Amino acid sequence: MSVTSLHALGVELPIIQAPMAGVQGSALAIAVSNAGALGSLPCATLSLDALRAELALLRSQARGPINVNFFCHSEPTFDADKEAQWRSLLQPYFIELGINQKEIAAGAGRTPFSHDAADALEEFKPEVVSFHFGLPEPALLERVKTWGALVLSSATTVAEARWLEAHGADAVIAQGIEAGGHRGMFLTHDLNTQLATFALVPQVVRAVQTPVIAAGGIVDDRSVAAAFALGASAVQVGTTYLLCPEATTSAIHRNALRSEDAQLTAITNVFTGRPARGIVNRLMRDLDYMNATVPTFPLATNAIAPLRRRCESLGRGDFSPLWAGQNVSGCRSVGAAELTRQLADGLPKT
Ligand SMILES: Cc1cc2nc3c(=O)[nH]c(=O)nc-3n(C[C@H](O)[C@H](O)[C@H](O)COP(=O)(O)O)c2cc1C
């Protein structure tokens, strides 16, 4: 997936709009695709029906290739003791907001990539399939490759990049610690040894033969140029697209992004059970960002959901995951096509 192979696919600009579950659907991906870059559809929270409906929209409205993105975590095992401890930690909030624990849903909410999802993809044959948290099992990965899709996945360390290359990724997304949303980490749990984009990208470029896509803190033409100067073949940009009208970012999330609060982001596991970066809010602060009581990803989400709903109905984001990267200076309420063109000003001139 070098600049030339992106061109071969029909993508004019080596810019990928990062898949962002919860804040966008096909509309953002279509706008980016029609501006000449690669639009992405986050599929982690979509039902199979919703997945097919979104893919149909993309195929009818996007003029370029498309990227679909899945999580590939292991299915969690429900642990009743852990869940009880988690709910007892949250009990003061349930009382404060008048939540009956019967409102808490069961189930996982986010399902890993599966054969059912692959069946749906086969009907649409997306040109690019990207994964977060490693890669799916070999038989599933092979299915994706049968229609010739390029396979991408995120690496947060040099070791993860080498692993992805050895296990079939066609390109590696080097995700620096600045990045918004979930850390793609899958071989390590150690946040202390995670690298920033400027340190990660050149070391991954040296370590693997596959093309490297830089992600994390890339927000404008200058940071795009910097990523290419460090050896990246493409960039993946998330946070910067969050205020676009085509995104489905909530009003609470948009207000936080526009406020001084957005200067303060941190990595937390309290919303889902896995580390992710968002704007600091009450739940993150109260539970000390990384909390040992949280159930396994994504089961932590269930008990938070009614708190989030109640608070959002009161106009507050105290229990909402306000995912954002460290650099929000590129966030503007302009169309995704215009943002994409501005990012493209930083691409190397050919
Ligand atoms: C709101 C939000 C949601 C995200 N959701 C996903 C996702 O569903 N899948 C994924 O692979 N990456 C996800 N990411 C991470 C991005 O792929 C990417 O690594 C990150 O946005 C790059 O850093 P930046 O936010 O500083 O541009 C998300 C990021 C954000 C900001």
Side-chain angles (χ1 to χ4, degrees):
M1 228 216 47
S2 60
V3 177
T4 41
S5 61
L6 265 183
H7 264 291
L9 272 181
V11 183
E12 287 159 38
L13 308 168
I15 296 172
I16 303 172
Q17 162 255 314
M20 296 187 285
V23 297
Q24 60 135 146
S26 53
L28 182 65
I30 290 164
V32 170
S33 164
N34 290 344
L38 184 63
S40 304
L41 180 72
C43 304
T45 56
L46 296 182
S47 68
L48 291 171
D49 285 347
L51 173 61
R52 284 191 168 87
E54 287 283 60
L55 286 167
L57 278 171
L58 274 164
R59 277 301 185 222
S60 63
Q61 293 179 33
R63 70 172 162 86
I66 53 171
N67 173 33
V68 295
N69 171 261
F70 292 86
F71 290 172
C72 41
H73 55 286
S74 331
E75 288 272 13
T77 321
F78 180 75
D79 178 336
D81 289 343
K82 193 104 190 159
E83 181 66 24
Q85 284 168 28
W86 180 229
R87 290 187 187 194
S88 111
L89 186 69
L90 299 175
Q91 181 62 14
Y93 303 122
F94 295 141
I95 293 168
E96 178 187 321
L97 290 161
I99 307 269
N100 182 331
Q101 291 201 19
K102 292 199 178 101
E103 288 178 47
I104 300 173
R110 291 167 172 81
T111 46
F113 187 57
S114 63
H115 282 287
D116 288 342
D119 288 344
L121 292 192
E122 235 158 33
E123 297 162 25
F124 297 89
K125 303 190 173 28
E127 292 78 3
V128 183
V129 180
S130 72
F131 295 103
H132 219 38
F133 314 136
L135 288 170
E137 49 150 308
L140 263 175
L141 190 62
E142 279 316 307
R143 283 195 64 186
V144 168
K145 294 200 168 199
T146 53
W147 64 85
L150 284 176
V151 171
L152 321 179
S153 183
S154 302
T156 66
T157 62
V158 169
E160 286 178 347
R162 286 204 177 102
W163 187 97
L164 291 175
E165 177 178 54
H167 290 81
D170 298 308
V172 170
I173 304 159
Q175 188 196 34
I177 192 82
E178 300 92 327
H182 283 97
R183 311 265 334 120
M185 54 206 300
F186 61 95
L187 292 183
T188 174
H189 297 295
D190 189 355
L191 284 173
N192 294 312
T193 52
Q194 291 277 282
L195 292 88
T197 306
F198 256 51
L200 182 64
V201 170
Q203 297 192 78
V204 171
V205 168
R206 204 179 314 143
V208 298
Q209 304 295 312
T210 62
V212 175
I213 300 154
I218 298 169
V219 301
D220 56 15
D221 55 346
R222 293 174 305 165
S223 38
V224 168
F228 277 82
L230 294 172
S233 298
V235 291
Q236 177 159 303
V237 176
T239 298
T240 292
Y241 283 104
L242 285 173
L243 290 183
C244 290
E246 298 92 341
T248 57
T249 317
S250 70
I252 286 170
H253 198 166
R254 285 177 196 263
N255 288 342
L257 285 162
R258 288 192 190 103
S259 77
E260 280 296 303
D261 294 353
Q263 294 304 310
L264 212 60
T265 66
I267 293 178
T268 184
N269 65 353
V270 300
F271 293 107
T272 66
R274 264 190 188 259
R277 182 179 292 284
I279 297 171
V280 170
N281 65 358
R282 179 179 170 197
L283 187 70
M284 286 162 74
R285 240 189 257 109
D286 285 3
L287 300 192
D288 219 8
Y289 304 101
M290 293 296 294
N291 193 291
T293 310
V294 289
T296 313
F297 178 89
L299 298 174
T301 318
N302 292 340
I304 300 294
L307 295 167
R308 174 184 178 176
R309 270 196 306 273
R310 188 68 47 91
C311 238
E312 287 186 355
S313 74
L314 302 169
R316 301 194 333 241
D318 293 351
F319 297 91
S320 307
L322 304 169
W323 301 145
Q326 284 181 327
N327 191 347
V328 294
S329 63
C331 294
R332 289 185 306 120
S333 311
V334 298
E338 186 179 332
L339 258 181
T340 303
R341 282 191 292 273
Q342 287 169 3
L343 290 164
D345 284 343
L347 293 172
K349 308 289 176 253
T350 47

